[in-house]
Amino acid sequence: MIDYFIENLTGIKNSQVKKAPKLDEALIHMVMDAKHAGSKERAYEWAAHHNLFMSAENIGGNLLEEYIYSKIKPYGWIWCRGKILTAIDFCNDECTAMFQVKNKTNTENSSGKGFRESCGAKAWNRMKAERRNGKIETYWPKLIEIVREGSTVDKPVPNDLVTEADYLDFVSNTVRNNPYLISEREGDL
């Protein structure tokens, strides 16, 4: 499914030729001099690592939604990909329950929140933005409650329908099966 998203909704092909980095030379010099990178090549290497994580962050939200959909579809939920409903990521097949997915508690913008609240949609965050004692706090049980409340099928929603460990396995398997999903080159995604 992620291949469908990449190729059809974003227009990006997995076979896309890698592009040369388009970094501002002044930034390379700032990093090189401030952090004693030792060489321009080292500063470019750091930039490539940064771009790799930015690429992963950009695709991360789509993977989170894809994982959730793979789990909640049997309970009467629809993935509202793209621009089907503004600020809504999932609705049940009767359009009586909707929710928006965000990776962290600090990532919803005010216009999205206003629209979501005006149509009575809930918000769900995968994790709290701040760590507690160095650990990530996740909210998967709250998502299970939302799915239960909006389910349109006569089938119980299990308590372990979605979990952090299962999600991390899903992400790892998806990336292993599609090595072009993220890139260290600026502008590839």
Side-chain angles (χ1 to χ4, degrees), residues 58-117:
N58 288 339
I59 200 73
N62 296 313
L63 287 178
L64 179 58
E65 289 180 21
E66 183 177 347
Y67 167 74
I68 292 168
Y69 181 61
S70 73
K71 300 296 184 170
I72 70 174
K73 182 180 178 182
Y75 302 96
W77 286 91
I78 299 167
W79 183 10
C80 304
R81 293 187 288 215
K83 306 257 183 216
I84 294 172
L85 294 171
T86 302
I88 304 298
D89 296 314
F90 295 93
C91 66
N92 67 10
D93 55 16
E94 296 174 357
C95 288
T96 56
M98 297 174 254
F99 68 96
Q100 180 184 61
V101 170
K102 293 294 181 186
N103 194 49
K104 290 184 182 177
T105 53
N106 64 348
T107 56
E108 183 175 33
N109 64 39
S110 59
S111 63
K113 181 178 180 180
F115 183 82
R116 177 186 54 74
E117 288 176 343

Side-chain angles (χ1 to χ4, degrees), residues 21-39:
K22 299 173 189 164
L23 295 173
D24 181 341
E25 203 59 28
L27 298 177
I28 293 298
H29 281 266
M30 278 194 287
V31 170
M32 192 172 65
D33 295 336
K35 296 300 176 184
H36 310 289
S39 70

Side-chain angles (χ1 to χ4, degrees), residues 1 19 22 28 35 38 43 52 69 74 90 108 113 119 139 154-155 158 166:
M1 185 166 291
K19 297 179 180 121
K22 299 173 189 164
I28 293 298
K35 296 300 176 184
L52 184 64
Y69 181 61
F90 295 93
E108 183 175 33
K113 181 178 180 180
C119 43
Y139 301 110
D154 189 24
K155 174 166 115 174
D166 190 46

